Amino acid sequence: MKKRFLTLTKTEHGTLRFIAENMKEHIAAYFISKTDWDKIPPIDEFRPYTEWDKVVHIDHGFDEGKPESELTLE
């Protein structure tokens, strides 16, 4: 499974291809920056998430205080 997954990540739209070819706009869409991508630990260091009651603020890039009807592309 790991081999198949790695193969897919190196294809035309694969995230590892973006890293290998330093495609900054693509990297930003997935990881913010190459520096942030470098902070991701290897798969064998991942631990199951356990803090299900912890609230984590995510910046979605728009004013979340506005009613949906007032949101525009601008």
Side-chain angles (χ1 to χ4, degrees):
M1 189 66 161
K2 181 179 177 180
K3 185 177 178 182
R4 177 68 179 137
F5 182 73
L6 285 174
T7 299
L8 290 172
T9 64
K10 295 175 184 178
T11 61
E12 179 183 1
H13 301 288
T15 54
L16 288 183
R17 177 176 166 257
F18 304 155
I19 297 296
E21 297 183 17
N22 199 31
M23 300 170 74
K24 292 180 182 178
E25 289 182 6
H26 290 70
I27 293 169
Y30 288 90
F31 307 109
I32 301 173
S33 70
K34 174 74 167 68
T35 302
D36 286 313
W37 183 84
D38 288 335
K39 293 177 186 176
I40 300 172
I43 192 74
D44 58 342
E45 292 181 19
F46 273 89
R47 299 292 174 256
Y49 189 78
T50 58
E51 299 181 55
W52 298 107
D53 294 327
K54 181 180 177 181
V55 176
V56 179
H57 174 75
I58 299 174
D59 181 0
H60 292 96
F62 59 87
D63 184 350
E64 295 183 48
K66 278 188 175 181
E68 186 176 340
S69 61
E70 292 180 19
L71 294 175
T72 65
L73 292 177
E74 291 80 33

